[in-house]
Amino acid sequence: MSFQHIMGQDIAKKMLQSALRNHTVNHAYVFSGPPGSGQMKMAQTFAKALFCEQRTDDACGECLSCRKVEHGNHPDLHIVEPDGATIKIDQIRGLQRIFSYRSESSNPKVYIIQRADTMTVQAANSLLKFLEEPQLPVVGILISENGQALLPTIQSRTQIVPFHALHPEVMMQELIGEGYTAGLVRSVVYIASGLESCREILQQNWFAEIRNVVLQLVKESMSRGNSSIILAQQKIFKTGLSEHLDILFHLFHLWFKDMLHFRYGRHESIVFIDHLESVSKLAITRSTEQWVSYMDLAATCRKKLRFNVNGQLCVEQLLIGLSDTSGSITG
């Protein structure tokens, strides 16, 4: 894996490769951006490039050092992940002990801290001392969804490398090329922020199931009223799908948005394109304002879910709202 094999993130690549080429590598970086946008893959590639025996601004992927990183057994690369919900001070102290010994080569030692924003205050303060007084040539990479969530003193001693969610069309082409079902891909690229996250979801059977449940519930709630609540109990809350309500509400939101895309003739933007016939029939049964209100309702239910409101109540609220035909087109 080299920088050229990482899709998108041109700003991050340019920053890191320029530092390698000009021998201006910083002692610490923060890779800040949405989960799944490739920070970990970029961090590992950067580490390989630092260790690479053949190239100066990229990883050859073939030398012994590159292969050791790929196999997870390079002695000068250490990865720290949260222990439970947080990264604790003992983990940072352990890292410091390891890095008190000299490298076997002339290259710097490298550490990668995943979800660095989960560090406890004590762990963050311990890392701060490490950043201020590294005993050996060291390069640190802190991966965070939001670099601004880190201590200001840590931010001031690191270089921020921005990451952005890949464009859905770019991810769609790649995933369909890998053999994933086009209909599922068109949905997942608007839910997940990176290829790895998309692949992880697509490889789970529940995603196709929950997408089908959304289609059933929409049709049921808009034709027979409260019978959709019974269907939801059977299809969601008596199965394992209740663990994925956030994605369920997100899919509802995408479906309602498709209604607007159809009404305005933007067929190329329709996510549920494999159900275009249903979209075309349903889109004209409600006004534009009603579809917008449904989108708002789905977003509100999703937000309530994140604030620990009972999931079943959130789903019932949405379905009852959909059965309200006060905004439907008549005559």
Side-chain angles (χ1 to χ4, degrees):
M1 175 68 70
S2 70
F3 286 113
Q4 280 64 44
H5 291 120
I6 297 175
M7 188 168 292
Q9 311 306 341
D10 291 339
I11 294 175
K13 290 180 195 174
K14 186 176 180 180
M15 289 177 65
L16 298 174
Q17 287 194 278
S18 177
L20 288 163
R21 197 176 300 119
N22 298 316
H23 305 289
T24 55
V25 173
N26 207 324
H27 72 287
Y29 295 87
V30 173
F31 286 9
S32 177
S37 53
Q39 297 103 312
M40 187 58 186
K41 187 174 291 184
M42 188 77 78
Q44 291 174 318
T45 301
F46 186 43
K48 278 198 295 184
L50 285 165
F51 300 142
C52 186
E53 300 161 18
Q54 302 295 328
R55 302 186 62 177
T56 58
D57 64 349
D58 205 345
C60 72
E62 298 176 357
C63 69
L64 180 60
S65 292
C66 283
R67 294 200 305 272
K68 283 183 177 179
V69 173
E70 289 179 0
H71 296 152
N73 59 9
H74 197 291
D76 291 333
L77 174 62
H78 298 272
I79 298 172
V80 178
E81 299 178 345
D83 178 10
T86 61
I87 293 173
K88 300 173 175 59
I89 187 170
D90 287 344
Q91 293 177 271
I92 302 300
R93 286 174 175 168
L95 186 68
Q96 292 169 338
R97 281 194 297 272
I98 293 171
F99 277 56
S100 65
Y101 302 104
R102 290 196 172 276
S103 169
E104 296 179 4
S105 69
S106 60
N107 296 316
K109 287 177 175 281
V110 179
Y111 62 90
I112 301 170
I113 300 180
Q114 295 201 70
R115 294 176 58 201
D117 47 288
T118 67
M119 283 187 291
T120 64
V121 173
Q122 294 85 354
N125 285 327
S126 182
L127 178 66
L128 179 60
K129 294 179 181 178
F130 192 41
L131 292 172
E132 291 174 334
E133 303 171 359
Q135 299 178 16
L136 299 171
V138 168
V139 176
I141 303 170
L142 282 60
I143 296 176
S144 173
E145 292 182 28
N146 178 15
Q148 301 300 314
L150 298 171
L151 288 178
T153 44
I154 288 180
Q155 294 179 49
S156 67
R157 289 164 175 78
T158 57
Q159 182 174 358
I160 302 292
V161 179
F163 283 73
H164 306 282
L166 292 174
H167 193 281
E169 290 292 336
V170 173
M171 294 193 290
M172 201 181 305
Q173 292 177 14
E174 177 72 14
L175 292 166
I176 291 175
E178 293 176 10
Y180 291 104
T181 305
L184 296 179
V185 168
R186 288 188 71 90
S187 297
V188 78
V189 296
Y190 289 95
I191 291 173
S193 55
L195 283 170
E196 290 303 321
S197 298
C198 287
R199 292 188 187 104
E200 186 178 342
I201 293 174
L202 288 168
Q203 290 164 5
Q204 307 298 319
N205 292 331
W206 60 260
F207 182 66
E209 293 174 11
I210 206 164
R211 187 174 183 266
N212 287 332
V213 168
V214 167
L215 295 170
Q216 293 175 47
L217 289 175
V218 167
K219 295 171 185 177
E220 190 79 13
S221 61
M222 293 188 169
S223 60
R224 299 174 187 172
N226 290 340
S227 59
S228 60
I229 293 178
I230 298 174
L231 180 63
Q233 291 173 346
Q234 295 173 341
K235 297 286 187 177
I236 299 173
F237 297 103
K238 292 185 178 181
T239 68
L241 295 184
S242 57
E243 298 177 7
H244 310 289
L245 293 183
D246 183 75
I247 286 181
L248 177 129
F249 288 126
H250 204 151
L251 287 169
F252 267 113
H253 191 274
L254 291 174
W255 174 265
F256 301 143
K257 195 172 184 179
D258 276 356
M259 301 300 114
L260 298 179
H261 287 319
F262 183 85
R263 290 179 66 89
Y264 287 104
R266 299 191 295 259
H267 291 192
E268 73 284 353
S269 298
I270 293 176
V271 172
F272 290 85
I273 196 68
D274 52 329
H275 291 272
L276 183 58
E277 183 178 355
S278 295
V279 171
S280 64
K281 291 179 180 178
L282 198 56
I284 59 175
T285 66
R286 300 289 192 277
S287 66
T288 296
E289 292 75 16
Q290 190 70 51
W291 289 123
V292 171
S293 73
Y294 290 160
M295 288 174 63
D296 290 341
L297 179 57
T300 298
C301 291
R302 189 179 176 205
K303 184 177 180 180
K304 286 182 177 180
L305 190 69
R306 292 179 176 180
F307 282 94
N308 297 318
V309 176
N310 181 273
Q312 186 164 345
L313 290 178
C314 291
V315 172
E316 290 178 0
Q317 179 187 354
L318 176 65
L319 296 178
I320 291 171
L322 298 186
S323 65
D324 177 11
T325 59
S326 60
S328 60
I329 297 175
T330 57

